[in-house]
Amino acid sequence: MDIVILWTLGMWAVQLLMEWLVYRIQGRRMTWVQSILPCVTLLGGAIVIMISIDIGGWNGIGYALLGAALGTSGLLTLITVAITALVLQRRRRK
């Protein structure tokens, strides 16, 4: 179970790095592009879980854990991007 947690945190770190690169490329502005990656990742995790149901057995459980990790990292990234957008918006006002 520890490997699933490490895998989730690793995917989250990679997604945050990608978000940061997009933020830097776009001239330090938050745009709608940063919301797409976490949503696609979340959707991908759900699709992997649905496929794992068809597989069944022990292999299906493994794929379900992979899908859960993928979906969780997407959700964590989406929450992080939303909080970042709020903080940057409040800083611009002041």
Side-chain angles (χ1 to χ4, degrees), residues 76-94:
L76 288 172
T77 306
L78 189 60
I79 291 169
T80 305
V81 168
I83 291 171
T84 304
L86 286 174
V87 168
L88 290 176
Q89 185 180 18
R90 288 186 182 197
R91 283 187 183 172
R92 275 188 238 133
R93 286 184 194 167
K94 292 181 180 181

Side-chain angles (χ1 to χ4, degrees), residues 28-91:
R28 294 182 178 247
R29 288 182 292 127
M30 293 291 287
T31 60
W32 60 272
V33 175
Q34 275 117 339
S35 299
I36 291 176
L37 176 66
C39 292
V40 169
T41 307
L42 191 58
L43 182 65
I47 290 171
V48 170
I49 290 172
M50 286 190 295
I51 290 171
S52 72
I53 292 170
D54 287 338
I55 293 173
W58 288 108
N59 290 334
I61 292 172
Y63 281 112
L65 288 173
L66 176 66
L70 192 61
T72 303
S73 68
L75 188 61
L76 288 172
T77 306
L78 189 60
I79 291 169
T80 305
V81 168
I83 291 171
T84 304
L86 286 174
V87 168
L88 290 176
Q89 185 180 18
R90 288 186 182 197
R91 283 187 183 172

Side-chain angles (χ1 to χ4, degrees), residues 5-20:
I5 294 170
L6 291 174
W7 184 258
T8 302
L9 293 176
M11 286 190 294
W12 186 33
V14 168
Q15 287 179 13
L16 289 178
L17 179 65
M18 291 171 63
E19 294 288 339
W20 180 77

